[in-house]
Amino acid sequence: MTGSGKGVARLLARLAVAAALGTLLVLVLALREGGLLILGAGLLGLVVCAAGLWWFLAHRGAMRLFGALVAVAAPVAVLVYFAYDGLWLAALVLILCWGVTLVCARAALREAVAARPRRAIAAARPRRPVLIMNPKSGGGKVGRFGLVERAEELGARVHLLDPSAPADVGELARRAVADGADLLGVAGGDGTQALVAAVAAEHDLPFLVVCAGTRNHFAMDLGLDRADPARCLDALTDGEELRVDLGDVAGRAFVNTVSFGVYADVVQRPEYRDDKAGTALSLMPDLLVGEGVRRLDARADTTALSSQQALLVSNNPYGSPDDPGASGRRPRLDGGELGVLALRVEGAAQAADLAVRGSQSTGLTAMTARRVEVTSDADEIPVAVDGEALRMPTPVVCTLRPGALRVLVPRDRPDVVTPAPPMNWRRLIDLAFGGRESHG
């Protein structure tokens, strides 16, 4: 870490510690005024709200309506209680102090690791780049941002997919390699990117990501500018290369995630593409508590995960095992391990436990592994690979190919953001007052 970066991180860490002490002081001063009642009422409201959400998701008809009312009424009732009993000012100060604590702590821990050098190497300009573009992806970003014209100006050969005639993009990529391509790229969704990335990795060619999809999770974690996909093409003239891992599920590549269970069942439905929320709500009761609901068993390395409702396997973990998915981003793509999130919630009580305890709840398992094997009573199960709905024979095995993919990225990537490491008070205090540099 540079001197200035270390100074900023230390200042933020000290502010976080001061705000935490302020929270404790306010709580102590408010004891006579109902400080414990504030905590108790807030915790009770959270528990009741979580139970209401479970009833809303797991039932239909009157019980679903009741759950929705409970989920909304619980936090409202807590606020009304605070106002009626004159506790609102103390509660507001506590919330503000704790909010400042968390914001400063996250910023300090992020700043402490932000100055780490990225593992990028200089890249020569490709001579025969080939890009495959899907004009329908992201609501027509290829046309809206003039990606075909821009790529051709930079010397790339573009294969524009025909929406009316589905093509085997993997085969298109292999033909491009046979014709002498020295770079493969994709302007499209993560599922299409994974298929072409597999061919690039097989032939040890650089791979270019143009974030023209809807969500662009892979592009986000590479630090690419998702607001302007045309900037991704700058890598063709002023790029650098990153070595990242590539996931494998039953012989098929994935760049982000493989989902089993509830989500995979939902995305199989044809109506999901046009009405995601409505389809999910319609199916949830059957998938969570209905008769004959399908559960999954898995083994992550040596750890057995039995009777799971949902399982997410990712190409490197989101957040960390201590704080899964906290940032919605992956701190790194070259860690050589799969992220594993397994969910098993049997009722309202366990839903409340999950809301209160988070990753410490018995309903959620968060870990990393090098191999995950998913089994089921069925011979074939639904699987969502980078959002694509598939069916695969059991058992389904997920592994990782460390450093298998050479990704060409622009040297100037405006969205390179270091996700905050998980909350660690010992690390934070050491950063604030210790003499050693925090290493996250």
Side-chain angles (χ1 to χ4, degrees), residues 1 52 148 152 160-161 173-174 177 188 201 222 230 235 267 277 282 413 424:
M1 190 193 313
V148 174
E152 290 177 341
L160 194 64
L161 298 177
R174 283 186 283 272
V177 174
L222 289 170
V267 300
S282 174
R413 301 190 298 286
N424 185 313

Side-chain angles (χ1 to χ4, degrees), residues 410-427:
R411 200 177 303 276
D412 177 23
R413 301 190 298 286
D415 196 31
V416 176
V417 177
T418 303
M423 280 297 299
N424 185 313
W425 287 102
R426 179 181 299 176
R427 185 185 307 151

